[in-house]
Amino acid sequence: MSRQTSCVARSARSRKSYHHGDLRASLLDAAVELIAERGLHGLSLRECARRAGVSHAAPYRHFADKDALLLAIARRGFELLTRTGVAAMRGVEDPRDRLDAYGVAYVRFAVDNPVLFRVMFTAEIEEPEPESEPEPEPESQDHTGRAFELLMEAAAAVVGEDSEQAQELAAVASWSLPHGLAMLILDGRIPAEQASTPDEAEDLARKILAQWRGPLS
Amino acid sequence: MSRQTSCVARSARSRKSYHHGDLRASLLDAAVELIAERGLHGLSLRECARRAGVSHAAPYRHFADKDALLLAIARRGFELLTRTGVAAMRGVEDPRDRLDAYGVAYVRFAVDNPVLFRVMFTAEIEEPEPESEPEPEPESQDHTGRAFELLMEAAAAVVGEDSEQAQELAAVASWSLPHGLAMLILDGRIPAEQASTPDEAEDLARKILAQWRGPLS
DNA sequence: GATTTATGTAGACGATGTCAACAATGATGA
DNA sequence: TCATCATTGTTGACATCGTCTACATAAATC
């Protein structure tokens, strides 16, 4: 039978059927690949379409716009980051250790998924106004915020029942440090001996976070 | 006399003479302005040329290419950042206070110059290989590094004569925290009540750094 | 099996980055 | 003073890109 029913065909360069199977996912994959090769600036919808083996206007059936593609990638990134963070904290009892575990996982995520991380924080990507719907869907809504809420909770557990402001301060600080470290590493601005491999980067994060317990103890 | 000898004419929309006067600087200004309006992604050499009142290919007499323009902006940013950091630390005696002053100034710089800051750390901007010259010019060379060296020294003064590794660790941490904070603020990811104005952002940085003295002193 | 909906194609448009050929200006040296 | 020449702008062209409209095909629904 020439008919391939199991034709999910993620990255099908050559397909037989008129329809692709899962073009949306293929385009996302192609985009991430492309960015990895040529940088964010080198991303082109047409090239994504080419790599997915599809005509240049096909992507517009799945993404309103180039920015919508980027936004989808960012969303994918935030989901993965949230999952990674949860996994890293699982089973760690001490609140402070949990917070550190999240920080280390954050940096590790960044060096393991540099493209996702960069797209996530390149901004210029704003959620388009929901137009008609005031409540688009509370669940799929703000994956950006989930990662932060997680951190917020972890930080609150460390600070204790102090003022809410102290909790927020701790959360912001506990996010800033790994975030800055990750960004600097990705930009190649950390001396090469300290973070040339993912493992070294993780080590560096661990050391810094351990040393930085500071007022939260 | 119709001849205006003082025709430096920075942002001359309409110029009389064939030559512009200081096109290079005008283009840089226009580029920063454009990025502020439309985002990095909306920067276009042709629009810069238009705003400088010059033909679309004129910029190529001053910049090899679009990336070269960005690189020039980044360089300008690092110079300003270095000056800002030096000024902030001037007269502050206590090593730890000096380090904090640098951190606060760093964040303040970012919120005061969001375009410069973003261009500086957008990466994808690599110094082109010097081709022939092995030593391009030690002074104009690495303004990226000056800002970091400054920090390195300030951190070393706090840590003392400990191992060099401890100094580097402190420097990386002391850079990561303000850098991450600045990035998150610029991305609008810090709760609005905490950093909606430059002054609030500076306050936030001050509080966090004060609280984060941690292992240093 | 007919109709509707989802998905992909073809072609066009204006804008962009970049290059090559040409023109005007200002500096240099006889 | 004037001819020469390197700088700096201008024009026009090309390939590519994002995006739109009109059309074609497959899949789903009745």
Side-chain angles (χ1 to χ4, degrees):
Chain A
M1 297 186 110
S2 63
R3 183 78 174 292
Q4 344 179 24
T5 41
S6 66
C7 172
V8 188
R10 279 280 159 139
S11 50
R13 289 271 185 156
S14 61
R15 69 186 200 287
K16 297 302 179 192
S17 58
Y18 187 85
H19 285 338
H20 179 284
D22 193 2
L23 182 53
R24 188 187 153 88
S26 290
L27 287 171
L28 287 176
D29 290 344
V32 170
E33 189 183 296
L34 230 187
I35 296 174
E37 287 173 21
R38 308 185 192 172
L40 227 178
H41 143 127
L43 172 65
S44 117
L45 279 185
R46 291 174 106 111
E47 178 66 19
C48 288
R50 245 170 261 135
R51 294 189 180 202
V54 101
S55 83
H56 68 260
Y60 286 84
R61 294 295 160 188
H62 300 271
F63 303 99
D65 181 303
K66 192 178 176 181
D67 282 343
L69 209 198
L70 267 314
L71 202 141
I73 293 178
R75 212 188 305 267
R76 182 193 264 194
F78 278 109
E79 287 170 19
L80 184 54
L81 173 58
T82 302
R83 280 202 301 279
T84 305
V86 170
M89 293 192 298
R90 197 191 327 276
V92 180
E93 297 291 340
D94 179 67
R96 177 68 220 194
D97 287 341
R98 279 171 63 84
L99 188 54
D100 282 0
Y102 187 94
V104 171
Y106 192 94
V107 173
R108 180 78 203 203
F109 169 84
V111 296
D112 280 341
N113 306 89
V115 171
L116 288 189
F117 194 80
R118 199 167 278 289
V119 172
M120 289 160 68
F121 293 104
T122 299
E124 315 210 358
I125 309 174
E126 285 307 313
E127 300 273 353
E129 344 246 311
E131 292 274 342
S132 49
E133 289 175 275
E135 302 283 328
E137 272 183 52
E139 46 169 343
S140 85
Q141 183 193 13
D142 195 9
H143 266 288
T144 309
R146 280 299 301 139
F148 181 66
E149 286 170 24
L150 215 60
L151 184 67
M152 184 77 193
E153 292 165 21
V158 174
V159 171
E161 295 293 329
D162 287 17
S163 75
E164 190 172 328
Q165 209 209 344
Q167 291 184 358
E168 282 198 355
L169 215 62
V172 170
S174 303
W175 193 8
S176 295
L177 186 56
H179 187 71
L181 180 57
M183 280 292 190
L184 292 173
I185 292 175
L186 255 49
D187 277 358
R189 298 211 137 90
I190 300 296
E193 325 89 49
Q194 300 201 40
S196 49
T197 72
D199 284 344
E200 282 175 20
E202 186 180 327
D203 263 16
L204 181 59
R206 208 180 299 279
K207 278 186 202 149
I208 287 184
L209 285 173
Q211 203 169 71
W212 236 250
R213 303 215 146 195
L216 319 173
S217 63
Chain B
M1 298 184 107
S2 62
R3 183 77 175 293
Q4 343 178 26
T5 40
S6 66
C7 171
V8 187
R10 279 277 158 138
S11 50
R13 290 269 185 159
S14 62
R15 70 187 198 285
K16 298 301 179 192
S17 57
Y18 186 85
H19 285 335
H20 178 287
D22 194 359
L23 182 55
R24 187 189 155 88
S26 290
L27 288 172
L28 287 176
D29 290 345
V32 171
E33 191 184 295
L34 231 186
I35 296 174
E37 287 172 21
R38 307 185 193 172
L40 228 178
H41 145 124
L43 172 65
S44 116
L45 278 185
R46 291 173 104 111
E47 178 66 19
C48 289
R50 246 171 259 133
R51 295 189 180 202
V54 102
S55 82
H56 68 259
Y60 286 85
R61 294 294 160 188
H62 299 271
F63 303 99
D65 99 8
K66 194 179 177 181
D67 281 344
L69 209 199
L70 267 315
L71 201 141
I73 294 179
R75 212 189 305 268
R76 184 194 263 194
F78 278 109
E79 287 169 19
L80 184 55
L81 173 58
T82 301
R83 279 203 300 278
T84 304
V86 169
M89 293 193 297
R90 198 191 326 276
V92 181
E93 297 290 341
D94 179 67
R96 179 67 221 196
D97 288 339
R98 279 172 64 86
L99 188 54
D100 281 0
Y102 187 94
V104 172
Y106 192 95
V107 174
R108 179 81 204 199
F109 169 83
V111 295
D112 280 341
N113 306 90
V115 172
L116 288 188
F117 194 80
R118 200 166 278 288
V119 173
M120 288 160 67
F121 293 104
T122 299
E124 314 211 359
I125 308 174
E126 284 307 313
E127 301 272 355
E129 343 247 310
E131 292 274 342
S132 49
E133 289 175 275
E135 302 283 329
E137 272 183 52
E139 44 170 345
S140 84
Q141 183 193 12
D142 196 8
H143 267 287
T144 308
R146 280 299 300 140
F148 182 66
E149 286 170 24
L150 216 58
L151 184 67
M152 184 75 195
E153 291 164 21
V158 174
V159 172
E161 295 294 330
D162 287 18
S163 77
E164 190 173 329
Q165 209 210 343
Q167 291 185 355
E168 282 197 354
L169 216 61
V172 169
S174 304
W175 193 8
S176 295
L177 186 56
H179 187 71
L181 180 57
M183 279 292 189
L184 291 173
I185 291 175
L186 256 48
D187 277 358
R189 299 211 135 89
I190 300 295
E193 326 89 51
Q194 299 200 39
S196 49
T197 71
D199 283 345
E200 281 175 22
E202 186 180 328
D203 263 17
L204 181 58
R206 209 181 299 279
K207 279 186 203 148
I208 287 184
L209 286 172
Q211 204 169 70
W212 236 252
R213 303 215 145 196
L216 313 178
S217 85

